[in-house]
Amino acid sequence: MSDATQPRVRTANPNVADPATAMTPRFQIVFRWFARRFFNHFALDDTSVKRLRELEDRGAVVYVMRYASRLDYFLFNTLFARNGLRFSAYGNGIQFWYYRPWWRSAPAFLMRALRSAGRKPDPTQRGREDLRRVVAAGESMFLFLRTARLAALLRSPEAAVERGQRELALLDELVAVAAEGKPVHVVPLALFWRKGPRAERRFMNLNRGAAARPGDLAKITSFLLTYRDLSIKLGEPIELAEFLAREPHAVRGALVRRLRRSVLQFVSAEERVAEGPVLRPRHKVQEMVLAEVGVQAAIAARAATGRGTPESARAQAERAFNEIAANMISTFVAALATTVGVLFRRLFQRIETRGIEKVAEHARRHPVVLVPSHRSYFDFLILSWLFYENYLVPPHIAARENMAFGPFGFLFRRGGAFFLRRSFDDPIYKSVFRAYVSYLVREGFTQEFFIEGARSRTGKTTTPRLGMLAWNVQAFVDSGRRDLFFVPVAISYERLVEEGAMVRELEGEAKQQESMLGLMRARSVLANRFGSVFVNFGEPISLAEVLDGRADLWRGAEREEAAGERRTIVEGLGRELVERINWSMVATATSVAAAALLGEPHRGMFRRDLETRMAQIVGLLRLQSVRLTPALDADIEHHFSESIDTLIRLGLIRSERDVRGELVYFDETNRRALDVYRNGIFHALAAPSLIARRLLAGSTQEEELRRDVTFWLDLLDDEWFAPRAEVQAAQLDAFLEALRLGDAIERSGELMRVADSGRPLLSFLAEQTRSLLEAYYIAFCTFESLAAPATAKALEKASETYHRRAQLLGEVRRPEGWNPVTFKNALDLMVRRGVIALVPAPEREPAYAPGPAFRELAALRARLAAELLSL
């Protein structure tokens, strides 16, 4: 900052400032060097500076902190000078005069001695007088709530009590001055010199939560090790006049205690967000988990079967705990954050976030459970890293046991991962896992689990798995907590690191198990760049509001009778979460360009046409309030030139010069990859595409069109998780109005028909759902030929063969349509509708046979065929 822009230093009024503790405009040489060396990268944000200046203009500002610390005071002196904020004229419990140059400190010390001559020796009375003088003059000061050191407490408990009464007396004097009509603003401050969770200590947490202020040596040592992790939190200012007016008849002592409690609650809330609950030693957690009633009952039941002794059953429970439980350690968290930070800078251009401050706000009061989308193995690393970098305690992450491979399982566990098996058929294991989740909720740890289970292979949000969700609901009810918030998180990638593996799996290749060998082979990804990542934290869902007085369904006698109702509530909550994840997805240049390219019947188009199609896709997204990446948004006025050039550099599309203009196209080998990226916004293209299909089929009345579109949206809901009916109706109105204003459709009374000028656009939109409808058509044809019970694997193979032959015959046009995930969705749909029934087979793989509603299948297949043949 140049001298011309350097804010004016605002020193305290020398007539009221305490010479021994007032801040100084200039430090002596050692402290000047220290400030330049260690404080240069610290800053107060512009919003906080503006707010503090406004408070200074209105009267006295009293900064309240939990502990007295010369280092903290020194830092704020530096920041106040840098930002032109008014210096503190007084700070209780510290000596600050020797931070000044000697020619300033000596007169100050002498002035204090002269001022103290003839005054009462009572330190409490002197403190009251100093505070009154500063506050009555409208100056700023620091008030520390705990000033006694541990050594002083151990030497003389009586002196410690006296020191505590002296600090309460200062608050009492502050309230008295405000009661006289002086404008006084109290600003709570929380300052953290480190990130990450804190461990339980054997003796006392000296830095946090102790009855004494931290010692200077311990403070400086901690600072030198972690000074780059500093975080300053300003609480909401308390205007004392308003504070007192709320309870005009309360006695002053009660008001003083309430004011003190307000400040401490703010500090505690910030600590809870930044550090989370105390990390207990692993053996203590094991004792608490295994002492749960459910675990003890499972141990007793195992012993009662005669398959072992109570001791062996207990040993099995201990093994299950060791297999499951995380062992989060601050040092490992810090090391992992540093390592993955370097990795992310190598792989990604940037990682952008939105809404994380909302998560922090909820985490101040209640436990938070993150429910992210799952497109990449980097998802959980990105979220933990973001939390750590934003001074939020990283979450405990539910991970499949296949992620506990080699030394990475050791590291992930110490970074907060806890592991679960695919199968919970062992009653002891199941009871231990549920008890561990209950422990996490009861203690208030932030959790994270992927509600989709495995990674989405198609790029679309998949059907929610309800196990972890149900256990968290049960744990919340058992914990007695007031609330718990589920936070949907959408993570969007411009380019997926696992793109190649995902495409191979979509083409039927078996999923490769995670291993050290696989990671060593993956080193080649470090030679590439994968664009940007966008993390959008959606609107949190309050579990207390979801239950709405129905928590008794999870308790006592009603539990067995209410199983169906409980499942309905959990299913509704699961659907709400995946829907919010879906609609929090950010549209990237990759997804928009993929939709534009795949909406055409051929692989190539002129660049100017691609620009037009991308603009049309963006228009549809904006109608539905889908957020665009900042880069894509900025690139609109440049006709998407940067976005298209980036995709060419990434190798997803190619470019050639032609006499008619620049030709942009994709290789056939990239078709499935483009489909994966298009699927990131597929939910926003579904309704417009179905509308276009119905209009292209011939003139139609609006009510008939709405019924037809709603039928397909409801039938294939697991493919796009459409919004609720009222939102859906509003969106259909918006689509139709946009098509009318764009002269794409014409109205004649109650009938709507396609205008000649609108046919290219509607054909382009209709193509967006062709691959999905073709995949379901092939699946329905496969099910219709079902004569004898067949396994899911056999049905999948038959469907894949049918699709390949139909493609050769020209019966289907989109080779990317068929994949194992979509086939499984079609199979599950038919089972839910009773078209196909699951035949139990105890000694072999379960099979499927025609169900009671099998006759409906012919009508569904015929309707799909008509939908595909209409274009």
Side-chain angles (χ1 to χ4, degrees):
M1 188 178 292
S2 66
D3 292 340
T5 58
Q6 180 72 39
R8 179 178 62 86
V9 174
R10 303 178 64 187
T11 58
N13 183 346
N15 295 322
V16 298
D18 175 23
T21 64
M23 288 181 174
T24 176
R26 183 176 175 83
F27 301 116
Q28 59 115 313
I29 188 169
V30 174
F31 295 110
R32 280 205 306 275
W33 169 84
F34 192 95
R36 285 196 303 269
R37 172 64 181 82
F38 295 107
F39 291 167
N40 263 350
H41 63 288
F42 297 148
L44 291 173
D45 63 271
D46 293 340
T47 302
S48 297
V49 171
K50 181 180 178 182
R51 182 198 289 182
L52 293 177
R53 284 178 181 161
E54 290 172 351
L55 295 179
E56 290 173 354
D57 292 339
R58 285 153 51 187
V61 180
V62 180
Y63 300 95
V64 184
M65 298 184 70
R66 176 184 284 180
Y67 299 117
S69 167
R70 278 185 283 264
L71 183 59
D72 295 352
Y73 198 67
F74 177 26
L75 170 66
F76 280 111
N77 192 158
T78 305
L79 293 177
F80 284 9
R82 190 180 297 163
N83 291 279
L85 295 171
R86 188 169 62 204
F87 282 178
S88 167
Y90 172 63
N92 65 307
I94 62 171
Q95 293 291 316
F96 200 66
W97 57 271
Y98 53 82
Y99 279 67
R100 306 173 184 178
W102 66 267
W103 63 87
R104 290 179 181 269
S105 60
F109 188 74
L110 180 61
M111 188 182 300
R112 177 175 176 81
L114 292 173
R115 181 176 288 172
S116 300
R119 292 170 64 183
K120 296 179 180 180
D122 180 8
T124 300
Q125 185 59 32
R126 287 203 306 270
R128 280 179 175 270
E129 291 173 0
D130 289 338
L131 181 145
R132 173 174 284 275
R133 185 178 66 253
V134 169
V135 175
E139 292 289 319
S140 298
M141 64 163 286
F142 272 65
L143 198 160
F144 301 105
L145 299 181
R146 293 176 183 170
T147 60
R149 296 183 182 177
L150 178 61
L153 291 178
L154 296 176
R155 280 198 306 268
S156 174
E158 295 80 6
V161 172
E162 181 185 346
R163 183 71 68 94
Q165 292 173 343
R166 189 185 310 165
E167 289 144 8
L168 276 176
L170 292 179
L171 276 176
D172 181 80
E173 190 67 28
L174 185 64
V175 170
V177 175
E180 295 169 6
K182 300 291 184 182
V184 182
H185 301 87
V186 173
V187 179
L189 290 178
L191 194 151
F192 304 98
W193 293 103
R194 49 159 282 180
K195 297 178 185 175
R198 54 175 169 155
E200 185 177 71
R201 302 191 180 188
R202 292 172 182 261
F203 178 51
M204 189 181 290
N205 279 318
L206 296 181
N207 287 322
R208 297 167 182 84
R213 61 181 278 196
D216 288 343
L217 180 60
K219 186 87 177 183
I220 292 173
T221 302
S222 175
F223 165 77
L224 292 175
L225 292 173
T226 60
Y227 70 93
R228 292 192 179 277
D229 292 332
L230 174 116
S231 173
I232 298 171
K233 304 290 185 181
L234 272 67
E236 195 63 32
I238 301 170
E239 189 170 353
L240 277 191
E242 293 180 3
F243 182 82
L244 300 178
R246 292 189 205 120
E247 298 184 57
H249 304 297
V251 296
R252 202 159 80 190
L255 290 171
V256 169
R257 289 191 294 273
R258 195 166 293 122
L259 177 61
R260 186 177 187 274
R261 186 164 59 249
S262 297
V263 174
L264 291 177
Q265 283 175 345
F266 160 75
V267 176
S268 297
E270 293 299 331
E271 287 177 350
R272 187 162 55 247
V273 171
E275 301 164 0
V278 172
L279 296 174
R280 291 188 172 90
R282 190 175 171 85
H283 70 276
K284 285 190 178 181
V285 179
Q286 178 178 297
E287 290 173 7
M288 296 172 69
V289 169
L290 267 57
E292 290 277 340
V293 174
V295 178
Q296 290 297 311
I299 291 173
R302 175 61 56 84
T305 62
R307 288 187 292 165
T309 63
E311 291 75 18
S312 64
R314 164 83 185 193
Q316 185 177 348
E318 290 176 355
R319 288 194 296 273
F321 174 85
N322 289 327
E323 180 184 336
I324 295 165
N327 186 23
M328 185 181 280
I329 298 174
S330 295
T331 305
F332 276 88
V333 170
L336 283 173
T338 300
T339 303
V340 299
V342 172
L343 179 64
F344 292 159
R345 285 190 290 274
R346 181 68 191 84
L347 290 176
F348 305 118
Q349 185 177 345
R350 60 183 174 274
I351 298 177
E352 298 186 12
T353 64
R354 184 183 185 189
I356 196 169
E357 65 285 343
K358 195 183 305 177
V359 180
E361 183 61 34
H362 284 87
R364 288 184 176 92
R365 300 185 301 275
H366 305 290
V368 167
V369 180
L370 304 178
V371 188
S373 58
H374 200 12
R375 305 291 184 270
S376 168
Y377 285 126
F378 286 93
D379 294 335
F380 78 95
L381 290 174
I382 286 172
L383 282 181
S384 292
W385 179 78
L386 282 175
F387 265 54
Y388 187 82
E389 290 299 302
N390 286 276
Y391 298 91
L392 299 169
V393 64
H396 278 64
I397 308 157
R400 289 288 185 190
E401 60 184 347
N402 60 335
M403 293 301 294
F405 62 94
F408 288 91
F410 175 88
L411 293 174
F412 293 158
R413 196 182 295 276
R414 280 150 184 79
F418 62 99
F419 299 95
L420 63 156
R421 297 174 184 171
R422 288 189 177 277
S423 172
F424 278 65
D425 51 2
D426 180 357
I428 286 183
Y429 177 88
K430 183 176 181 178
S431 67
V432 172
F433 189 89
R434 294 181 66 170
Y436 183 70
V437 172
S438 181
Y439 163 79
L440 294 177
V441 172
R442 187 172 62 249
E443 294 297 310
F445 286 100
T446 296
Q447 283 185 70
E448 175 189 331
F449 69 86
F450 297 104
I451 197 167
E452 299 169 90
R455 284 180 302 124
S456 168
R457 303 305 195 264
T458 63
K460 287 185 284 190
T461 302
T462 58
T463 307
R465 307 290 182 87
L466 302 178
M468 280 294 298
L469 193 60
W471 294 327
N472 269 280
V473 173
Q474 182 69 63
F476 166 73
V477 173
D478 294 342
S479 72
R481 284 189 168 274
R482 288 182 293 124
D483 211 343
L484 180 147
F485 283 87
F486 291 100
V487 182
V489 187
I491 307 176
S492 306
Y493 296 83
E494 281 191 325
R495 185 93 187 257
L496 286 160
V497 177
E498 303 94 335
E499 177 189 296
M502 290 177 69
V503 168
R504 289 192 295 273
E505 290 170 24
L506 287 173
E507 291 174 345
E509 184 176 308
K511 178 181 179 293
Q512 296 296 313
Q513 288 296 317
E514 289 74 18
S515 66
M516 279 297 298
L517 180 59
L519 277 181
M520 294 300 290
R521 288 173 177 166
R523 287 181 302 171
S524 59
V525 304
L526 296 177
N528 300 314
R529 297 278 281 179
F530 295 88
S532 298
V533 183
F534 305 90
V535 183
N536 198 12
F537 294 88
E539 189 64 32
I541 298 176
S542 161
L543 184 53
E545 291 181 7
V546 169
L547 297 183
D548 191 25
R550 296 175 291 179
D552 286 343
L553 297 174
W554 277 263
R555 296 191 185 106
E558 294 189 37
R559 282 199 53 166
E560 296 304 320
E561 301 173 5
E565 192 171 351
R566 288 202 310 275
R567 181 170 181 82
T568 299
I569 293 172
V570 173
E571 284 178 346
L573 176 58
R575 183 199 157 79
E576 179 74 15
L577 282 165
V578 294
E579 186 176 304
R580 291 196 186 191
I581 289 171
N582 226 12
W583 292 90
S584 295
M585 283 291 178
V586 179
T588 66
T590 316
S591 58
V592 171
L597 288 162
L598 293 175
E600 299 295 336
H602 22 258
R603 292 189 291 119
M605 58 201 308
F606 291 111
R607 184 168 181 141
R608 57 181 177 272
D609 296 330
L610 177 59
E611 293 167 359
T612 300
R613 291 302 188 215
M614 289 180 71
Q616 291 166 343
I617 294 290
V618 166
L620 286 173
L621 297 176
R622 283 180 162 170
L623 276 177
Q624 301 168 83
S625 301
V626 174
R627 182 182 167 223
L628 310 179
T629 67
L632 177 60
D633 197 25
D635 203 25
I636 293 173
E637 60 181 275
H638 302 295
H639 305 289
F640 305 99
S641 60
E642 180 60 34
S643 301
I644 295 171
D645 290 342
T646 298
L647 294 180
I648 292 172
R649 286 197 303 272
L650 291 174
L652 275 173
I653 61 178
R654 295 178 181 273
S655 171
E656 287 184 9
R657 289 290 173 185
D658 184 85
V659 292
R660 293 165 293 175
E662 184 181 356
L663 177 65
V664 180
Y665 66 98
F666 63 89
D667 291 334
E668 190 62 34
T669 53
N670 279 337
R671 180 182 288 278
R672 281 195 183 273
L674 288 170
D675 187 51
V676 168
Y677 293 117
R678 190 260 305 268
N679 285 342
I681 57 171
F682 186 65
H683 54 280
L685 302 176
S689 179
L690 294 170
I691 289 173
R693 285 187 159 278
R694 185 65 191 85
L695 288 169
L696 288 168
S699 299
T700 181
Q701 292 185 343
E702 184 173 331
E703 191 57 37
E704 182 184 355
L705 179 144
R706 288 181 182 276
R707 284 198 303 270
D708 189 75
V709 170
T710 300
F711 170 81
W712 291 113
L713 288 175
D714 290 345
L715 180 71
L716 306 181
D717 184 61
D718 283 356
E719 296 293 342
W720 39 57
F721 294 102
R724 303 290 185 228
E726 57 274 13
V727 177
Q728 193 179 107
Q731 288 183 351
L732 291 179
D733 287 339
F735 296 144
L736 291 173
E737 182 64 11
L739 291 173
R740 186 187 68 79
L741 292 175
D743 296 325
I745 60 174
E746 298 172 344
R747 285 182 179 269
S748 176
E750 294 294 319
L751 289 178
M752 293 183 297
R753 69 178 186 85
V754 179
D756 291 340
S757 60
R759 190 166 295 276
L761 171 61
L762 292 175
S763 297
F764 165 71
L765 292 176
E767 282 298 311
Q768 300 297 333
T769 50
R770 172 169 286 278
S771 61
L772 178 70
L773 296 179
E774 287 180 346
Y776 269 79
Y777 174 75
I778 295 300
F780 288 177
C781 289
T782 304
F783 301 148
E784 205 171 11
S785 64
L786 185 63
T791 65
K793 191 174 295 184
L795 287 171
E796 180 184 313
K797 186 65 177 175
S799 178
E800 184 180 14
T801 302
Y802 199 126
H803 187 274
R804 180 174 58 81
R805 291 171 180 169
Q807 186 181 340
L808 292 173
L809 294 170
E811 295 173 345
V812 298
R813 303 184 208 160
R814 296 293 186 176
E816 72 272 17
W818 189 92
N819 61 72
V821 178
T822 303
F823 174 79
K824 179 65 165 54
N825 287 345
L827 181 59
D828 291 343
L829 171 65
M830 292 297 97
V831 171
R832 286 197 304 273
R833 294 178 71 95
V835 171
I836 292 175
L838 185 63
V839 181
E843 298 182 0
R844 59 187 179 87
E845 190 177 348
Y848 294 87
F854 189 72
R855 290 182 179 180
E856 292 181 12
L857 184 57
L860 284 172
R861 182 194 57 75
R863 189 164 182 175
L864 253 181
E867 191 73 23
L868 290 168
L869 290 172
S870 64
L871 298 182

